[in-house]
Amino acid sequence: MMSKPKLYVGCALNNAPLAFQKKVDALKKSLVETFEILEFIGSGEMSDGETVLHDLKQVERCDLMLGIADLASTGLGSELTHAGWLKRPTLIVAQAGAQVSRFVPGLPAKFESLVFQRYETWNDIEKLISDFAAEREIRF
C-alpha cells in the first residue's frame, strides 16, 4: 500500500478567531483520508524558539504545503518563504475579498513551486489542494 503524501497546513493561529480555528480543524479532518496531516504547534504549547524550529521542520518534512492566508500572519509568511526555498509544492489560498498582503500573492514570482489562488467557500479548499497535488503528480 502506498503511503499518503504528507501535507502541512499553515495559517494564522495567534489572535485568530475561534470560528476560523474550528474551520481549519474541520478542513484538516476532512483531508486525513487523502493526506497525512503534519501538525503545527498551538499557542503556548512550547517556547517561541521551539515552535519556530518545530513548524519549520514540518515544512521540511512535508510533500506539499497548504497556506491559508485569510488572516495576517508573520509565521505563515516565514513558512511560505521556507517552503519556497526548499521547492516544496505549496498552494496558498485566500478567500475572495480577503485583504492579503501583496507579499503573499507575489511569492510565486520568486518561487515557482508556490501557487496563489482565491476561493469562494471553505468547501472549495479541499478540492483545490487535491487538484494541486494531482497536477504535480503527488500520489495518494
Side-chain angles (χ1 to χ4, degrees):
M1 180 177 146
M2 187 178 278
S3 64
K4 297 177 194 177
K6 294 176 181 70
L7 174 67
Y8 180 69
V9 179
C11 63
L13 188 59
N14 286 342
N15 304 316
L18 184 57
F20 178 83
Q21 292 177 35
K22 286 182 178 185
K23 286 179 183 178
V24 172
D25 286 341
L27 174 65
K28 291 194 301 189
K29 286 177 184 165
S30 73
L31 293 169
V32 296
E33 289 192 26
T34 307
F35 302 100
E36 177 185 339
I37 306 298
L38 302 178
E39 294 297 329
F40 55 74
I41 295 300
S43 179
E45 295 178 30
M46 293 182 171
S47 72
D48 294 346
E50 290 169 326
T51 300
V52 169
L53 293 174
H54 176 275
D55 291 357
L56 291 180
K57 185 69 171 173
Q58 297 297 57
V59 174
E60 294 165 12
R61 291 183 56 221
C62 73
D63 297 309
L64 72 159
M65 180 175 170
L66 171 64
I68 304 171
D70 291 5
L71 303 173
S73 171
T74 304
L76 176 60
S78 298
E79 291 170 350
L80 294 171
T81 303
H82 194 56
W85 286 115
L86 294 171
K87 299 183 170 118
R88 289 292 182 276
T90 301
L91 176 62
I92 309 163
V93 298
Q95 189 165 29
Q99 290 189 344
V100 178
S101 164
R102 293 176 61 194
F103 186 87
V104 173
L107 280 169
K110 172 66 179 169
F111 303 111
E112 63 185 43
S113 63
L114 277 60
V115 171
F116 178 80
Q117 289 185 309
R118 294 284 186 167
Y119 68 91
E120 293 295 325
T121 70
W122 272 87
N123 294 333
D124 298 337
I125 299 173
E126 187 173 350
K127 181 173 180 356
L128 288 172
I129 192 63
S130 294
D131 290 350
F132 180 80
E135 289 167 6
R136 278 141 192 85
E137 299 182 354
I138 296 170
R139 303 288 179 213
F140 45 90

